[in-house]
Amino acid sequence: MVTDEIVALGRARVAVTLAFAAHGLLGAAWVARIPQIKEHLGLGEGAMGVALLGAPVGVVAAVRFAGRIVGRWGSATTTTAAGVAGALSLVPLGLAGNLGALIVSLLLMGASLGLMDVAMNAQGVAVERGYGRPIMSGLHGSYSVGTLLAALIGSAAAHADVPVPLHLAAAAGVLTVLVVLGCRGLLDRSADALPEPDEDAPGARRPGGETYRSGRWPLALLGIIGLCSFVGEGAMADWSAVYLRENLGTGPGVAGLGYAGCAVAMTVGRLTGDQVVARFGPVPVLRAGSLVAALGLGLGLAAGDPTAAVAGFTLFGLGAAVVAPVTFSAAGNMPGVPAAAGISRVTGVGYLGLLGGPPVIGFIAQGVGLTWALAVPVVLVGLIVLLAPATATAGR
């Protein structure tokens, strides 16, 4: 029996790793084709900007209900169903013939990805609990690998002039098969049960009849940690190339190195983060990583040199790499709170930073310049040093 359980747990780990990779592939499958879609539909920058809001709106809407959906159907079933829905949404996205169709397609994709995000993280927490050691960082690393791979495939397809509908339809077919077959090994609904309370923790159930602490305040702190990190991630994606190009006068090729360095460093940090968290604990690792991110980005901006700036963006990615996996693990192991419910609350707050942070930085840049505006992520990621103790439940 013990051997069967170990085998099942191993299969579940492979399956949830594939789910995370599929999520990254899904979200980034169409990104390299945005210029062709924009040109085909004859959209201006403003109209395209409105369309691009579709996916974030879908994500935020789905995350609000994800906890209840996973609670009813289980994290395994929800991960698979949402993944298939997300893959199939690529087909109408590639066939969209007008702005309205494009917005609806992106809403569907965003909703599917938001629901899958919460469900696969809840499943990851369940598998991590079975192993009794951190694995969430590696899972998020596989997501990062998926996004990088999708970006490369999309760029190659665009370079080869593969028609957008054909490219996205082929991606939909491959990803549907990957999700359906890859997720077969996920743990069943029994793995989604509430974690046992820590009898020594404040507010845990006592023989005298006391109940679990509500979890609202700890989850709020975890949400703030996620927001602080995600503001920086969004800023690196949307503003690093602009900063290098317009503020430091680099060429287009060099301008892209800022986010590339951040993305690669974050992927490496996540793939190696579990061993570091297991050895030193989530709180010290989060504090050290946040200091690296804050100091690296801050000094890179202060130097006013392209090489230093690229190094700063890279160090930010490395330092912030484990924030999301550690935070989601802590939310999923909150005593008395179902994993999906905790993760959905934290994800909902965190995504506000990812989606709302870049526009806010843009508004600030209009008043004080982009260099000072990018200091906002420096301050926020530095705040994680103070909030890190809220993640102490991670990996329990």
Side-chain angles (χ1 to χ4, degrees):
M1 179 62 72
V2 174
T3 301
D4 291 342
E5 292 177 353
I6 293 174
V7 171
L9 194 61
R11 289 176 178 171
R13 183 173 185 179
V14 172
V16 75
T17 299
L18 290 174
F20 271 80
H23 191 277
L25 286 162
L26 278 169
W30 76 291
V31 172
R33 309 311 301 266
I34 290 177
Q36 288 78 30
I37 294 173
K38 178 177 177 293
E39 180 181 0
H40 172 70
L41 298 181
L43 301 178
E45 281 74 13
M48 194 65 199
V50 171
L52 291 175
L53 288 174
V57 169
V59 168
V60 172
V63 164
R64 292 192 60 186
F65 302 100
R68 278 176 276 181
I69 295 173
V70 174
R72 179 169 183 177
W73 299 105
S75 61
T77 299
T78 305
T79 297
T80 304
V84 170
L88 295 179
S89 71
L90 290 172
V91 176
L93 178 59
L95 295 173
N98 53 57
L99 177 61
L102 180 62
I103 293 174
V104 171
S105 299
L106 290 174
L107 280 168
L108 292 174
M109 172 184 283
S112 301
L113 291 176
L115 183 56
M116 185 183 182
D117 194 356
V118 173
M120 71 184 187
N121 273 285
Q123 177 74 197
V125 167
V127 176
E128 182 180 66
R129 199 178 297 143
Y131 272 89
R133 56 182 173 82
I135 66 166
M136 287 291 283
S137 185
L139 296 180
H140 283 254
S142 67
Y143 162 83
S144 298
V145 170
T147 60
L148 292 174
L149 181 60
L152 291 174
I153 293 174
S155 296
H159 181 72
D161 293 325
V162 177
V164 173
L166 177 60
H167 168 210
L168 296 186
V174 172
L175 289 171
T176 297
V177 173
L178 174 63
V179 170
V180 171
L181 297 182
C183 292
R184 292 173 64 184
L186 295 176
L187 300 176
D188 60 28
R189 291 192 61 182
S190 63
D192 297 324
L194 285 172
E196 291 296 322
D198 182 351
E199 294 296 330
D200 296 325
R205 187 182 297 276
R206 305 293 183 185
E210 295 180 23
T211 59
Y212 295 144
R213 58 188 177 184
S214 67
R216 292 182 179 179
W217 177 241
L219 285 174
L221 291 177
L222 292 175
I224 293 172
I225 291 174
L227 184 146
C228 289
S229 176
F230 286 163
V231 166
E233 290 187 37
M236 298 304 100
D238 291 2
W239 291 108
S240 60
V242 176
Y243 173 76
L244 287 167
R245 178 74 172 136
E246 297 185 2
N247 287 64
L248 301 185
T250 65
V254 175
L257 293 179
Y259 182 62
C262 177
V264 171
M266 185 167 286
T267 300
V268 172
R270 285 176 172 173
L271 291 175
T272 59
D274 289 324
Q275 295 89 335
V276 180
V277 173
R279 180 173 181 179
F280 298 104
V283 176
V285 171
L286 216 60
R287 281 177 164 164
S290 299
L291 284 174
V292 169
L295 291 175
L297 180 57
L299 293 175
L301 294 172
D305 174 76
T307 302
V310 170
F313 294 140
T314 302
L315 287 174
F316 182 91
L318 182 63
V322 299
V323 175
V326 166
T327 303
F328 288 167
S329 179
N333 284 292
M334 191 68 63
V337 180
I343 291 170
S344 66
R345 294 175 190 174
V346 171
T347 302
V349 176
Y351 275 168
L352 292 177
L354 184 65
L355 305 176
V360 170
I361 288 175
F363 289 130
I364 295 174
Q366 287 184 345
V368 298
L370 187 54
T371 301
W372 284 105
L374 287 175
V376 171
V378 175
V379 174
L380 291 178
V381 80
L383 184 60
I384 297 176
V385 176
L386 301 177
L387 299 177
T391 65
T393 59
R396 284 187 181 179

